[in-house]
Amino acid sequence: MKRLNRKETGSIAVVVALLMVVLVGFSAMVIDYGNMASQKRLLQNAADAACLAAAACLPDDVAAAQTAASKYLQANTPGAVLQSFETYDGNRKVTVTARMEVDYNFARAIMSSRSRTVSAKASAIVTSVLGPYDYALFSASSIDLLQFTGQNFVSGDIHANYNIKNIATVNGTVTAAGIIDGKITATQKVPNYHVLEMPDFSNIVELAILLDEATLLAYGADYDGSTYTMSPDQLNTMLAAFPEETVLIDGNLIINGTGVCTLGCIIITGNIEFNGGSVDMGTSDTVALCSLSGNITFNGGGGVFRGILYAGTGDICFNGDIGAVYGSVIGNTISGNGGLNIIYDSDATHGIPETEIMLVE
């Protein structure tokens, strides 16, 4: 028995040594890899912030965007490196990749390296307030029908926050928070859809240049105390003096005559009205006509309109044959009595300032 006990002397030390190796290994896994995951989350947050900061400089200044990305990355996570910076889609999308070395603690004892590289990637886009609203027709009212008379053709998607009742052929998806008339033929119909918020133009209003009475009169407008009346030529001449700017007119606007062919965004606090003649635009020109608290009305005529019609709280009404609208019609309510031909065109938003920035990855 004594000889047997002597043979087992020191076995506990061996077991303890083995257990220490296992303990260190588990400590490395729990502490070091937990720290690694934590640092990666911090790096991802920093990459997101850097990407948003870069997008705020786009599409105009790519160099400033890259500088902003590097600055925000370092400010949020010291030691992080901007690994790559790329822009796409006419500098309206940016992708940032970042990396950082994270030191091991316990894992040094069982691994040959002393650190590990973690990385993160983020992408953001710059768009207008209508970026997510890629609808040919959008009716925001939750109590009024989306309803037309005559033969109506729509190429693009339609959404209404209430019922849709009319005869229409739609090459696209029709969604409604209520019911959809059986006389509507579409690629897909989805009744009882969720309610969507009206696009908010408040950021654009803040950027707009207010044109006072004297300025408008200088470009040939007539004014009766509440309503400005202009011809399309006068309107074009005025907008040409403010290239790539959004203009704001306090009051109502009446456009008499033919030909609205310019690129820009016009915000009216009151009503917008077209009287007589055709709206005849060029193949590449688009204009955004936005009424903040009034209605938009087309009286008679035909022709082609290219751009955005937006009435945040009012009605967009087509009296007579409008011919064709290439773009989007977005109103609290939308009505017509002569038949519609609406073709969705994503390029129609080019006249609207790009004030919205969002992460996409």
Side-chain angles (χ1 to χ4, degrees):
M1 291 294 292
K2 291 181 179 180
R3 286 196 300 271
L4 183 62
N5 288 336
R6 283 197 296 270
K7 289 181 179 180
E8 294 179 355
T9 301
S11 61
I12 294 178
V14 174
V15 172
V16 170
L18 292 173
L19 288 176
M20 285 297 294
V21 173
V22 174
L23 181 61
V24 170
F26 275 112
S27 298
M29 290 172 54
V30 174
I31 298 177
D32 282 341
Y33 282 92
N35 179 56
M36 202 76 62
S38 176
Q39 293 299 318
K40 184 174 177 62
R41 285 194 298 271
L42 292 174
L43 183 62
Q44 184 63 60
N45 292 338
D48 291 345
C51 199
L52 292 172
C57 302
L58 298 177
D60 300 325
D61 196 335
V62 176
Q66 185 167 357
T67 300
S70 182
K71 176 182 177 182
Y72 270 75
L73 191 64
Q74 287 289 329
N76 285 279
T77 309
V81 176
L82 184 63
Q83 185 172 0
S84 66
F85 178 91
E86 298 175 292
T87 60
Y88 314 89
D89 301 337
N91 297 331
R92 287 174 172 80
K93 180 179 180 180
V94 58
T95 297
V96 167
T97 304
R99 63 178 175 83
M100 181 174 63
E101 292 294 318
V102 180
D103 291 334
Y104 288 127
N105 293 307
F106 288 97
R108 295 180 183 181
I110 59 175
M111 299 186 70
S112 58
S113 61
R114 300 177 61 85
S115 65
R116 181 179 176 181
T117 302
V118 296
S119 61
K121 181 180 179 180
S123 295
I125 59 172
V126 183
T127 185
S128 73
V129 295
L130 298 184
Y133 295 85
D134 51 352
Y135 293 97
L137 291 176
F138 181 94
S139 175
S141 175
S142 60
I143 59 174
D144 294 297
L145 292 169
L146 177 57
Q147 185 173 12
F148 306 101
T149 61
Q151 295 296 317
N152 303 286
F153 301 93
V154 178
S155 179
D157 297 339
I158 297 176
H159 175 78
N161 283 337
Y162 191 54
N163 302 330
I164 302 178
K165 184 179 180 181
N166 62 303
I167 300 173
T169 300
V170 182
N171 181 20
T173 299
V174 179
T175 57
I179 62 174
I180 300 174
D181 198 314
K183 294 188 291 294
I184 294 175
T185 61
T187 305
Q188 184 180 15
K189 295 194 292 186
V190 185
N192 302 314
Y193 197 75
H194 55 272
V195 172
L196 299 178
E197 296 293 327
M198 171 66 84
D200 183 7
F201 268 68
S202 58
N203 287 343
I204 297 178
V205 174
E206 293 175 359
L207 297 174
I209 298 174
L210 176 63
L211 302 184
D212 57 19
E213 180 182 344
T215 301
L216 290 164
L217 293 178
Y219 285 103
D222 292 326
Y223 185 56
D224 65 2
S226 63
T227 302
Y228 295 95
T229 302
M230 303 182 74
S231 71
D233 287 341
Q234 292 169 336
L235 196 64
N236 288 339
T237 301
M238 180 189 73
L239 290 177
F242 303 94
E244 299 183 3
E245 298 285 355
T246 297
V247 299
L248 174 64
I249 298 176
D250 186 13
N252 305 311
L253 176 65
I254 294 177
I255 303 173
N256 288 329
T258 62
V260 176
C261 49
T262 189
L263 176 65
C265 182
I266 307 171
I267 299 178
I268 310 297
T269 59
N271 300 318
I272 303 173
E273 183 178 322
F274 289 85
N275 287 323
S278 300
V279 178
D280 188 12
M281 301 182 68
T283 58
S284 61
D285 297 311
T286 64
V287 62
L289 297 177
C290 310
S291 172
L292 294 181
S293 58
N295 305 315
I296 300 177
T297 305
F298 282 81
N299 292 320
V304 174
F305 177 85
R306 299 179 187 273
I308 303 295
L309 297 175
Y310 171 90
T313 62
D315 177 60
I316 300 177
C317 180
F318 300 98
N319 293 323
D321 181 15
I322 183 59
V325 174
Y326 290 87
S328 293
V329 179
I330 300 173
N332 185 58
T333 59
I334 302 170
S335 58
N337 53 36
L340 296 180
N341 185 14
I342 311 293
I343 301 95
Y344 172 74
D345 184 356
S346 60
D347 289 340
T349 61
H350 286 176
I352 300 177
E354 292 163 327
T355 60
E356 303 299 302
I357 301 172
M358 62 185 73
L359 291 170
V360 291
E361 290 181 16

